Amino acid sequence: MSTHKIVEFRAQGEGPLIQYFRWLAKQKGWDWTLETHPEFAFDLMDGASAVKVASALSERILPQLKVLPTQVRLIQCLDSFFKEDGTWYPRILLYEAMRTVLVSEARDLDIRAPAFIVGDNEEARAAAFVVAQMGCSEIFLVGETARLQRQQEILSHSQIGIRFTILPPEELTMQAVSAGLIVNSVDLSKQKSLLTDLSYFNFMKRSGYALDLNLLPAQNLLLEEAEKAELKVLHPVSIATAITQLWMKRLQVNDFQSLEEIRESWIHFLKENSPSV
């Protein structure tokens, strides 16, 4: 019997990972307590085994912390807290998960080619950091110029020698740079014009990869268009699977026999819960 208390901080209410953990605990018969709070507070972490944090809260939380691991400090983002020697340390598991997925599922990724990162949120910044760390020297940040200037500043400061270029969405269809990778962090179901511009894929190599970080909605329109364009597709379930594996390792939960079993559990969960997640 696995017993844990997981606390989440997320303004929009319970997030997909916590909903998955709640479903999984019921499936496995684990005695897990899961609670979500809209605002971050240290005292709410008392008694928790681990903490999930919406990365959008990073800007408010990081100034309150005395010790920052290197990745968190450079990316200026966190998505979780785990205890080490009795002390809470912030982590950015999305970085580790994304790197794992790209290394394992995109072995022929051309890092000499440019990459496109869509979005101005913390997830997009983490994605750009991963791609830069893997050796890509030219990265296009797609979104509104004013909102991306801070992203560009943080990334350029930590990644010397990498060129980060802000690209307004309306200029997408004019690009002909043969990128090897596109990573999307935006909910395109609410941005039809951006989806249309991205779906031309005139800026992508024929052998390029498309990765979407959005588990929902279940029908991923961008990846459907990428498959039509004969690009190689990396599904967000792969990222969720890798993140879950990292959580289970840190919580010392050994109920899963393989990574594939975690993946199948996510697919099962999404099929059962997509309309209400």
Side-chain angles (χ1 to χ4, degrees), residues 123-166:
E123 288 86 355
R125 188 159 72 239
F129 193 87
V130 170
V131 175
Q133 288 275 292
M134 291 183 69
C136 182
S137 61
E138 185 174 19
I139 299 173
F140 289 86
L141 308 175
V142 182
E144 296 180 15
T145 301
R147 295 176 64 90
L148 281 173
Q149 287 176 339
R150 178 59 177 160
Q151 297 277 67
Q152 185 185 47
E153 179 184 328
I154 293 172
L155 290 163
S156 297
H157 180 73
S158 64
Q159 300 296 305
I160 307 300
I162 309 297
R163 183 165 64 179
F164 295 97
T165 301
I166 294 175

